[in-house]
Amino acid sequence: MSTSTPETHARRLAAVRGRARDLGIDHVVVYSGEDMSYLTSERMDSHERLTALVVPVDGGAPLLVLPSLELTDVTRRAADRVGATVHPWSDGTDAVALVTGSVAGRVAVSTAMPALHLVPLQAGVDGEVVLASEVIEHVRSRRRTRWTSSPRPPGVSMRSTPAWASSSGWAVPSRRWARTSPPRSSRRA
């Protein structure tokens, strides 16, 4: 059961739309799993059967496409939280076509979407398909610091020592400090 407020869901959906708009994206297709849980407060796991929340960036009502056998009171409440229209589909229906028929332009897709759905979606979209990591992960990220929110050059990981830390005299631990046992010379015989 969700303890989130309607304001939380509206704020999250608005943040996803705002970030997508900033990146020139027209629609965001949110796949089941963590991204869906973040927006709806319900975990809807799906694998071979497509479950997706289609979010138009222009502010239109989202569309929740899911297998009819997964349409429950819980999924209806999840859809209500984000103001989504529910479109259940049955076996024999091309669920990807339901999604591609409602999107166009530049479409961002959750990184968790398996190739089973992503490849046909790419082929069916009238426009460009990109990964939604720059949209959803940016919005989901709660921790903002100078060095994690600024662009990183290629090949530099989040675990690299930030320039401001090494140049400001901060003590930055290295891997060798993470010993779990004392060095051999100090062990008792």
Side-chain angles (χ1 to χ4, degrees), residues 26-181:
D26 300 301
H27 292 88
V28 179
V29 178
V30 180
Y31 186 68
S32 62
E34 292 301 319
D35 294 340
M36 182 82 74
S37 178
Y38 174 75
L39 288 174
T40 67
S41 291
E42 294 298 339
R43 177 131 184 134
M44 293 182 229
D45 287 320
S46 179
H47 302 286
E48 73 279 351
R49 296 176 184 268
L50 178 65
T51 297
L53 180 67
V54 179
V55 179
V57 174
D58 67 5
L63 174 68
L64 179 61
V65 175
L66 77 163
S68 56
L69 61 98
E70 293 180 18
L71 183 59
T72 64
D73 288 342
V74 171
T75 55
R76 282 189 180 98
R77 283 192 302 270
D80 289 345
R81 288 186 191 112
V82 292
T85 302
V86 179
H87 193 303
W89 58 272
S90 301
D91 284 343
T93 302
D94 184 358
V96 173
L98 297 175
V99 174
T100 59
S102 61
V103 299
R106 196 156 185 240
V107 180
V109 179
S110 291
T111 57
M113 182 176 282
L116 172 71
H117 305 308
L118 180 60
V119 172
L121 188 119
Q122 261 182 314
V125 167
D126 183 21
E128 177 187 15
V129 175
V130 298
L131 292 177
S133 55
E134 285 296 315
V135 177
I136 298 171
E137 289 173 15
H138 177 82
V139 171
R140 285 180 58 189
S141 174
R142 292 193 174 130
R143 185 174 159 185
R144 302 271 192 262
T145 64
R146 277 192 334 207
W147 63 280
T148 58
S149 62
S150 63
R152 295 182 311 279
V156 175
S157 73
M158 294 289 288
R159 296 179 189 266
S160 297
T161 303
W164 62 266
S166 58
S167 64
S168 65
W170 282 42
V172 180
S174 66
R175 289 187 184 264
R176 64 182 169 80
W177 291 4
R179 292 184 186 268
T180 56
S181 61

